[in-house]
């Protein structure tokens, strides 16, 4: 059992001073905006990403640090977790998509997506989770997707959709295991968001029309609009929330 917290002024609950946050895939896009939001809330941030060329200056801009990391490399993830034993907030955000019809999805396509989007999330939860459990304190937030709840169209992306459904259920499984030990595990499930990942879709008239037409709010999210949801889940503002998938999709899943 974890002790109930003492009441505090409500805006103080969102402050992260003195906490170290790691954001995977934080060099650009949604991950960068999440890291920026956490830094503005007071956290010390480490961006962990494959892409050092973009990630180094991005980390500098936030007053944080950069670590090269391939989340699919379990040994590298373990080494980073050992190097940063004081991490209290882990954001699993690295992700890739392959838009292929199911019947043309080769073994390598399936495996590549699963390795980044699902295996990588588990390796990071397991390795950073150990030190959080030892300290009895930590918050993990993964970037899942509305694709874990619905199957997107018109573009095919079977491996991506399944990987994100896996992240949502991994979230629930770990929340159940670790809830009484002080470590909360949640995810955000964004809808279409304007980042390099969606550029191809926006340039494809049929995809763009469907994406906008099927979103009740009639637009894509800007990447900074995902960050407040992550801040809520990462901070003490959500002290009694665990195992949750917070959908941030302009209403897409309503239809
Ligand atoms: P992005 O492609 O702009 O950024 C992804 C970042 O992850 C890049 O910096 C890339 O270098 C890094 N990365 C890729 N593979 C990696 C690996 N093996 N190890 C470490 N870092 C790696 O993508 P975006 O759009 O910012 O997506 C971020 C997350 O949000 C992903 O998990 C994605 O699936 C999810 N998401 C994106 C949506 C969108 O519409 N853009 C909607 C819902 C979820």
């Amino acid at each position: 059992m974890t002790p109930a917290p003492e009441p505090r002024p409500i805006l103080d609950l969102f402050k992260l001073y003195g906490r170290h946050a790691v954001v995977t895939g934080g060099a650009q896009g949604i991950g960068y905006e999440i890291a920026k939001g956490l830094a503005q809330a007071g956290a010390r941030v480490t961006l962990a990403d494959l892409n050092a060329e973009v990630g180094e200056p991005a980390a500098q801009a936030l007053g944080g640090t950069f670590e090269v990391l391939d989340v699919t490399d379990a040994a590298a993830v373990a080494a980073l977790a050992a190097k940063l034993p004081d991490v209290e907030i882990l954001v699993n955000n690295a992700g890739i998509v392959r838009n292929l019809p199911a019947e043309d999805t080769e073994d390598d396509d399936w495996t590549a997506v699963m390795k980044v989007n699902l295996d990588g999330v588990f390796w990071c939860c397991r390795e950073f989770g150990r030190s959080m459990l030892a300290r009895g304190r930590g918050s993990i937030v993964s970037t899942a997707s509305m694709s874990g709840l619905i199957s997107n169209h018109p573009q095919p992306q079977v491996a991506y959709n399944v990987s994100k459904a896996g992240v949502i259920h991994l979230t629930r499984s770990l929340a159940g295991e670790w809830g009484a030990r002080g470590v909360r595990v949640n995810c955000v499930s964004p809808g279409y968001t304007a980042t390099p990942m969606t550029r191809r879709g926006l340039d494809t008239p049929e995809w763009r029309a469907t994406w906008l037409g099927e979103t009740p709010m009639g637009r894509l999210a800007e990447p900074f609009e995902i960050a407040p949801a992550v801040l809520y889940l990462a901070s003490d503002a959500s002290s009694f929330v665990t195992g949750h998938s917070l959908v941030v999709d302009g209403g897409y899943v309503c239809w």
Side-chain angles (χ1 to χ4, degrees):
M1 193 176 73
T2 54
E6 293 296 321
R8 280 152 56 198
I10 197 156
L11 291 180
D12 285 358
L13 299 175
F14 291 89
K15 293 179 183 163
L16 300 178
Y17 292 100
R19 298 191 198 172
H20 186 182
V22 167
V23 181
T24 72
Q28 64 177 39
I30 293 172
Y32 177 72
E33 291 298 331
I34 290 171
K36 189 159 120 187
L38 299 183
Q40 286 175 0
R44 187 157 48 89
V45 293
T46 297
L47 307 186
D49 200 292
L50 273 181
N51 188 343
E53 202 180 308
V54 177
E56 291 272 13
Q60 256 180 27
L62 301 181
T65 51
F66 178 79
E67 297 281 347
V68 179
L69 178 69
D70 180 349
V71 296
T72 69
D73 180 344
V77 171
L80 186 62
K83 184 177 170 185
L84 308 175
D86 64 339
V87 169
E88 278 187 48
I89 297 167
L90 166 67
V91 180
N92 293 303
N93 170 82
I96 59 169
V97 67
R98 296 220 175 154
N99 293 119
L100 295 164
E103 67 276 22
D104 298 331
T105 298
E106 304 290 346
D107 296 7
D108 285 351
D109 298 313
W110 179 269
T111 306
V113 172
M114 290 299 166
K115 280 178 79 171
V116 180
N117 293 11
L118 188 52
D119 296 3
V121 174
F122 181 63
W123 307 152
C124 289
C125 288
R126 184 183 64 193
E127 299 303 330
F128 285 95
R130 278 202 195 103
S131 52
M132 293 181 186
L133 290 166
R135 226 179 301 121
R137 182 181 164 91
S139 179
I140 297 175
V141 186
S142 303
T143 310
S145 172
M146 69 175 182
S147 306
L149 302 165
I150 50 93
S151 88
N152 306 64
H153 74 114
Q155 79 281 15
Q157 49 183 49
V158 63
Y160 183 86
N161 297 345
V162 173
S163 72
K164 295 299 186 177
V167 171
I168 293 170
H169 206 59
L170 174 64
T171 298
R172 293 194 197 103
S173 301
L174 295 179
E177 278 200 43
W178 294 347
R181 297 162 70 190
V183 178
R184 296 184 299 104
V185 188
N186 292 289
C187 59
V188 289
S189 291
Y192 292 115
T193 305
T195 71
M197 183 181 272
T198 45
R199 202 160 287 148
R200 176 182 163 201
L202 287 175
D203 291 342
T204 308
E206 185 203 357
W207 294 18
R208 183 191 171 90
T210 308
W211 292 6
L212 298 181
E214 301 255 325
T215 303
M217 290 182 71
R219 65 175 177 89
L220 270 65
E222 292 300 324
F224 68 80
E225 293 184 278
I226 311 303
V230 176
L231 173 60
Y232 168 66
L233 293 171
S235 69
D236 295 345
S238 60
S239 54
F240 201 53
V241 180
T242 196
H244 187 60
S245 159
L246 179 47
V247 178
V248 185
D249 69 344
Y252 190 100
V253 303
C254 297
W255 286 343

